[in-house]
Amino acid sequence: MSLSEEKLQRQYTMVDGLSIHDRRSTEALPEDAPIVILIHGLVVSSRYMMPTAELLAPVAHVYAPDLPGYGESDKPDYMLELPELADILCKWMDAVGIEKATMLGNSFGCQIIVEFAIRHPNRIERAVLQGPTMNPHARTFGQQLWQLILDSRYEDSSQAPIQAYDYWQAGLLRAVCTVQIALADRIEAKLPDVQVPTLVVRGEKDPLVPPYWAEEVVELLPQGQLAVIPGGGHTLNYSAPVELSRVTKAFLEATKSQMVTQEI
């Protein structure tokens, strides 16, 4: 799969003394076009979000930041916990001039979005949780590792070197600490406080997000709905971007009138 960045421009923004790298769309769109921020998953970067970002760029102002510690962004000596990641994401929005946005995340990115929605509820319009972790019924490193191994058969093989490079950039210690943060997060206790329309997207074959957990997520969300992508694995944003962008576009359109009503 090609990771062309022709439709997205790379930018660096200083936030709290840290240089934060992002990729953003440059297409001319109507003023009322939605803003969509793509949030990467565990230890990786915005690089693997590009297939979906490019497909959303014709209908939305797309931004895909590398959170501090990951990808091309600065690597602070300290670890940013979930609340700090949510807060610096909000400060980055201030710095680049985004007042409010829809957020789409994969895996651990969903945990960041949920934390953000609770801490900064006035800065998020909608959420798309693609493959939300962690399943509370399989919250051990061994279980998650085994499920990742099972998932590999449903992923595009070209994703592996991208992830390996991102892990190398983050470093072993940061990777281990990030896994610990993800496993410790009780997302199920936070979901009832996410007060925005939320689309949960699950790959049909995703072993990390089994059907019962996806349904539990939707039930816990005040405004949740579920979309299942046939044959898909855990990282639909890379391996099934056409399908993910299709359900995301439909969700954006379906909730557009609700956004207008809220603004009035």
Side-chain angles (χ1 to χ4, degrees):
M1 179 176 295
S2 170
L3 275 183
S4 167
E5 295 178 18
E6 292 178 1
K7 296 181 181 178
L8 292 105
Q9 184 180 72
R10 295 161 64 104
Q11 297 285 344
Y12 292 85
T13 306
M14 293 301 297
V15 179
D16 283 356
L18 297 171
S19 176
I20 297 182
H21 168 260
D22 73 80
R23 297 171 167 91
R24 62 185 72 174
S25 57
T26 58
E27 295 194 28
L29 295 174
E31 284 188 17
D32 63 346
I35 297 173
V36 178
I37 300 175
L38 305 183
I39 309 298
H40 61 77
L42 197 73
V43 190
V44 291
S45 74
S46 62
R47 189 177 290 107
Y48 85 127
M49 304 296 286
M50 288 305 97
T52 295
E54 290 193 350
L55 291 171
L56 292 177
V59 299
H61 302 286
V62 177
Y63 295 78
D66 294 343
L67 294 172
Y70 311 100
E72 304 296 330
S73 291
D74 278 350
K75 313 293 186 296
D77 295 333
Y78 53 91
M79 277 299 303
L80 276 72
E81 300 284 340
L82 262 176
E84 295 170 304
L85 288 170
D87 289 349
I88 203 160
L89 177 58
C90 188
K91 291 179 180 179
W92 170 81
M93 289 172 63
D94 290 337
V96 300
I98 299 174
E99 181 178 351
K100 207 169 187 180
T102 295
M103 294 190 174
L104 184 159
N106 165 252
S107 198
F108 180 58
C110 299
Q111 295 175 251
I112 297 170
I113 291 173
V114 169
E115 186 73 24
F116 183 98
I118 293 171
R119 296 177 69 83
H120 307 284
N122 296 326
R123 306 298 297 275
I124 182 169
E125 287 186 333
R126 292 161 286 209
V128 179
L129 307 181
Q130 194 274 289
T133 51
M134 291 286 178
N135 176 5
H137 311 288
R139 192 181 270 130
T140 69
F141 176 75
Q143 288 171 307
Q144 291 294 310
L145 179 60
W146 175 242
Q147 289 167 356
L148 280 170
I149 292 171
L150 293 176
D151 178 64
S152 62
R153 74 186 76 175
Y154 307 115
E155 304 295 346
D156 191 303
S157 60
S158 65
Q159 184 179 186
I162 295 169
Q163 291 179 317
Y165 181 72
D166 285 343
Y167 271 68
W168 174 80
Q169 279 194 307
L172 179 60
L173 179 59
R174 192 177 304 278
V176 171
C177 290
T178 308
V179 171
Q180 292 173 338
I181 290 170
L183 288 170
D185 178 46
R186 296 305 193 255
I187 187 175
E188 67 276 12
K190 303 174 184 178
L191 291 169
D193 295 322
V194 177
Q195 299 296 327
V196 294
T198 304
L199 176 66
V200 178
V201 186
R202 174 184 178 267
E204 180 191 18
K205 304 294 186 180
D206 183 359
L208 287 91
V209 184
Y212 68 84
W213 168 233
E215 291 165 4
E216 186 175 339
V217 172
V218 173
E219 290 173 3
L220 288 168
L221 288 162
Q223 301 180 62
Q225 56 183 284
L226 177 65
V228 179
I229 303 303
H234 187 58
T235 54
L236 300 174
N237 51 287
Y238 187 88
S239 296
V242 173
E243 293 81 359
L244 176 58
S245 62
R246 175 180 55 79
V247 297
T248 298
K249 290 174 184 177
F251 174 65
L252 292 173
E253 187 61 32
T255 54
K256 184 177 180 180
S257 59
Q258 184 175 346
M259 298 298 103
V260 172
T261 302
Q262 288 179 349
E263 289 175 2
I264 295 173

